[in-house]
């Protein structure tokens, strides 16, 4: 029995499962105050981690055409957004946060320990655009 017959579809190419250790991650997407590391990219997907020390606030930025899922692995995160940055959500260990494509925002760590976030983005193009201020609701406005 072949894989093609199991799934009843032709198989073009089977790629191996990859293991990505912390030492394999690539520093990327800098925004003031946040350390981001890329684990891998694939067609339309970006995945990595971000770390923020207690009390640190990132610069304002958006992720272009990417929808972003944030899983709080440990610690806390606050995401400021909205017109003039007047809205926010806070999340802690075990929570998810969704940042829609183009939304100008910044992250901070209101906790007492370093935060560790698992990030997954779906979209295309560059993944981070740093901006001076949140004077618009989103990057397309």
């Amino acid at each position: 029995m072949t894989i093609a017959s199991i799934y009843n579809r032709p198989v073009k190419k089977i790629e191996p499962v990859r293991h990505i250790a912390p030492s394999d991650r690539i520093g990327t997407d800098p925004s003031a105050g946040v350390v981001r590391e890329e684990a891998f990219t694939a067609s339309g997907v970006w995945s990595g981690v971000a770390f923020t020390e207690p009390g640190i606030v990132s610069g304002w930025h958006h992720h272009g055409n990417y929808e972003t899922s944030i899983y709080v692995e440990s610690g806390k995160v606050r995401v400021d957004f909205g017109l003039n940055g007047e809205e926010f959500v806070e999340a802690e260990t075990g929570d998810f946060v969704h940042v829609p494509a183009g939304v100008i925002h910044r992250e901070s760590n209101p906790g007492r320990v370093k935060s560790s976030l698992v990030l997954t983005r779906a979209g295309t193009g560059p993944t981070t655009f740093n901006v001076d201020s949140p004077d618009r609701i989103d990057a397309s406005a």
Side-chain angles (χ1 to χ4, degrees), residues 59-82:
W60 292 103
H61 61 280
H62 65 86
H63 300 291
N65 293 321
Y66 282 88
E67 299 282 331
T68 300
S69 171
I70 302 169
Y71 174 72
V72 183
E73 181 179 43
S74 63
K76 295 182 179 184
V77 65
R78 174 181 164 137
V79 180
D80 299 316
F81 65 98

Side-chain angles (χ1 to χ4, degrees), residues 14-132:
I14 297 175
E15 294 188 30
V17 173
R18 293 175 34 207
H19 169 251
I20 299 135
S23 61
D24 296 330
R25 297 189 303 237
I26 301 165
T28 188
D29 289 343
S31 289
V34 178
V35 174
R36 292 189 190 99
E37 297 177 357
E38 177 183 296
F40 73 90
T41 61
S43 180
V45 176
W46 182 99
S47 188
V49 293
F51 306 99
T52 307
E53 296 293 335
I56 297 297
V57 179
S58 79
W60 292 103
H61 61 280
H62 65 86
H63 300 291
N65 293 321
Y66 282 88
E67 299 282 331
T68 300
S69 171
I70 302 169
Y71 174 72
V72 183
E73 181 179 43
S74 63
K76 295 182 179 184
V77 65
R78 174 181 164 137
V79 180
D80 299 316
F81 65 98
L83 191 58
N84 300 315
E86 295 174 355
E87 297 179 61
F88 69 91
V89 296
E90 287 188 350
E92 57 188 34
T93 301
D95 292 343
F96 278 90
V97 175
H98 170 240
V99 180
V103 172
I104 296 172
H105 64 285
R106 68 179 177 189
E107 298 104 29
S108 62
N109 179 352
R112 295 183 180 176
V113 298
K114 181 178 182 178
S115 66
S116 177
L117 311 174
V118 178
L119 310 171
T120 302
R121 297 194 176 110
T124 58
T127 55
T128 301
F129 297 85
N130 294 305
V131 298
D132 293 331

Side-chain angles (χ1 to χ4, degrees), residues 5-19:
S5 66
I6 292 171
Y7 293 106
N8 198 23
R9 64 179 183 189
V11 175
K12 295 178 183 174
K13 177 184 173 186
I14 297 175
E15 294 188 30
V17 173
R18 293 175 34 207
H19 169 251

